[in-house]
Amino acid sequence: MKTRFQFIVAFIFFFIVCNNISAQNKTSKLESSLLWEVSGKGLQKSSYLFGTIHMICSKDYFLSEKAKNAFEKSDKLFLEINFTDPNEMSQMQQLAMGKEPLSKKLTPEQLAKLDSILKKSTGMSVQQVDSFDLVTVLSLISMKSFGCTDLKFYEMEFSDAAKKRNVSISGLESVKSQFEILENAYSNDEMLALLEESTPEETIELVDAYKKENIEAMYAFSTDKRFTSEKTKKQILDNRNLNWVKQMPELLKQNGVFIAVGAAHLGGEYGVINLLRKEGYTVKPVMN
């Protein structure tokens, strides 16, 4: 359970699933690659931007040679959250527990709906998760949709490798800020709707898109208007991307930086790739 808590928030921001992967972007179509080289603007050494799925079944886990090589060339690692920071992990475990029991937070109708969803997807009852935040429940159900018990976590793999090389690890934001964004992005009814949509079929489609390094499809997964309003998209993707890119000029000046974030953050008009290009950086896919 401890490992699950460590990745609750980062995963939820990516796993807003849908069936339709044909969302239209206002930017030109991006090449299929999870790894992008960032150069220009006086940088003495290239840095790299990598899109993760956060977690995946062990049988589906992969890290391409190009990603391994880029990581080995890098001197610093930046993740959405620094999962090696004990203070951040302590904060995450606290926030995973709700401010008040779900039995008080939700209406009787919402509780009945949640109980039905839980029994169908996990075999658990609403009483068993009463002390959890609704975000935590969403994560647990989403994780069940993978259909395996041997999940691997990209951020953990990168963190372990960085520690072995004595590479510094930092976060682009805090656990607390992520929870606050999620709580403000969705109403209880909208969160319950997401719980209903978290199915094994959609997870299979998501994993397939990831293994094909299709970031256009993964961006579409997270922005389908049937499940994600424009307001929500701005809060969970666009605004966060803008905040990250504001930090990046100083980060990139350190040279040889490896930045790993959810792949849904790479695409779109306000995706990290397009925003960095607007800042004058050369951002190109690493194909091999």
Side-chain angles (χ1 to χ4, degrees):
M1 184 62 72
K2 180 179 178 182
T3 303
R4 288 187 173 190
F5 278 149
Q6 289 179 342
F7 290 88
I8 282 168
V9 183
F11 175 62
I12 285 301
F13 277 115
F14 184 74
F15 199 86
I16 299 177
V17 294
C18 62
N19 291 320
N20 184 356
I21 58 173
S22 61
Q24 297 296 313
N25 296 335
K26 294 181 181 179
T27 54
S28 58
K29 184 175 175 62
L30 295 173
E31 293 89 341
S32 291
S33 179
L34 297 174
L35 182 68
W36 295 72
E37 181 181 8
V38 183
S39 60
K41 287 196 75 171
L43 297 181
Q44 297 179 355
K45 183 178 179 181
S46 292
S47 288
Y48 294 92
L49 178 66
F50 182 80
T52 81
I53 195 173
H54 296 308
M55 63 179 72
I56 197 169
C57 291
S58 291
K59 67 180 178 62
D60 293 313
Y61 176 85
F62 74 99
L63 191 63
S64 62
E65 285 301 315
K66 65 182 181 181
K68 291 177 184 177
N69 292 337
F71 182 76
E72 289 296 321
K73 288 189 237 177
S74 303
D75 303 314
K76 295 180 184 294
L77 172 65
F78 284 88
L79 304 170
E80 291 182 24
I81 294 172
N82 181 3
F83 294 105
T84 65
D85 184 336
N87 293 327
E88 286 291 290
M89 292 305 93
S90 176
Q91 182 80 72
M92 180 172 282
Q93 292 191 34
Q94 291 176 35
L95 291 169
M97 311 306 289
K99 296 176 183 177
E100 61 179 343
L102 291 176
S103 54
K104 291 185 178 181
K105 182 176 182 179
L106 302 179
T107 67
E109 293 77 15
Q110 290 170 333
L111 278 172
K113 186 174 184 178
L114 178 57
D115 190 59
S116 175
I117 295 169
L118 279 165
K119 287 177 179 175
K120 180 180 179 181
S121 59
T122 69
M124 301 171 68
S125 69
V126 71
Q127 289 80 14
Q128 290 174 276
V129 300
D130 192 39
S131 62
F132 288 165
D133 187 273
L134 204 53
V135 173
T136 309
V137 179
L138 175 56
S139 180
L140 294 175
I141 290 176
S142 297
M143 293 171 75
K144 276 284 187 180
S145 71
F146 276 85
C148 65
T149 58
D150 57 340
L151 288 166
K152 291 195 74 168
F153 306 94
Y154 276 88
E155 282 77 3
M156 183 65 79
E157 295 297 316
F158 282 129
S159 295
D160 288 345
K163 285 189 285 187
K164 288 178 182 177
R165 292 178 50 218
N166 292 318
V167 168
S168 68
I169 306 169
S170 300
L172 294 170
E173 60 192 8
S174 68
V175 168
K176 184 177 180 181
S177 68
Q178 285 200 350
F179 259 93
E180 288 175 347
I181 291 168
L182 268 179
E183 289 179 344
N184 292 329
Y186 297 102
S187 67
N188 291 337
D189 283 331
E190 288 172 330
M191 191 70 77
L192 288 170
L194 284 177
L195 288 169
E196 284 189 300
E197 295 302 326
S198 183
T199 67
E201 292 77 20
E202 287 155 346
T203 304
I204 290 170
E205 192 173 0
L206 175 67
V207 170
D208 182 62
Y210 188 75
K211 291 168 74 173
K212 292 176 180 176
E213 303 196 29
N214 189 342
I215 61 173
E216 292 273 325
M218 288 181 284
Y219 175 74
F221 267 105
S222 65
T223 57
D224 188 281
K225 292 182 179 179
R226 291 176 298 163
F227 312 113
T228 306
S229 67
E230 185 63 25
K231 172 190 170 185
T232 299
K233 183 180 82 73
K234 285 182 179 179
Q235 288 180 300
I236 66 173
L237 287 176
D238 298 350
N239 292 346
R240 294 172 69 221
N241 294 345
L242 287 164
N243 287 333
W244 294 348
V245 172
K246 284 180 183 177
Q247 302 175 49
M248 287 185 184
E250 287 302 314
L251 305 184
L252 296 171
K253 284 178 184 177
Q254 300 175 42
N255 292 306
V257 172
F258 192 94
I259 302 170
V261 299
H265 291 281
L266 301 187
E269 181 183 9
Y270 293 99
V272 176
I273 291 171
N274 195 46
L275 291 175
L276 283 173
R277 286 173 172 173
K278 285 183 176 180
E279 289 293 317
Y281 293 99
T282 299
V283 187
K284 60 183 180 180
V286 180
M287 307 307 292
N288 49 51

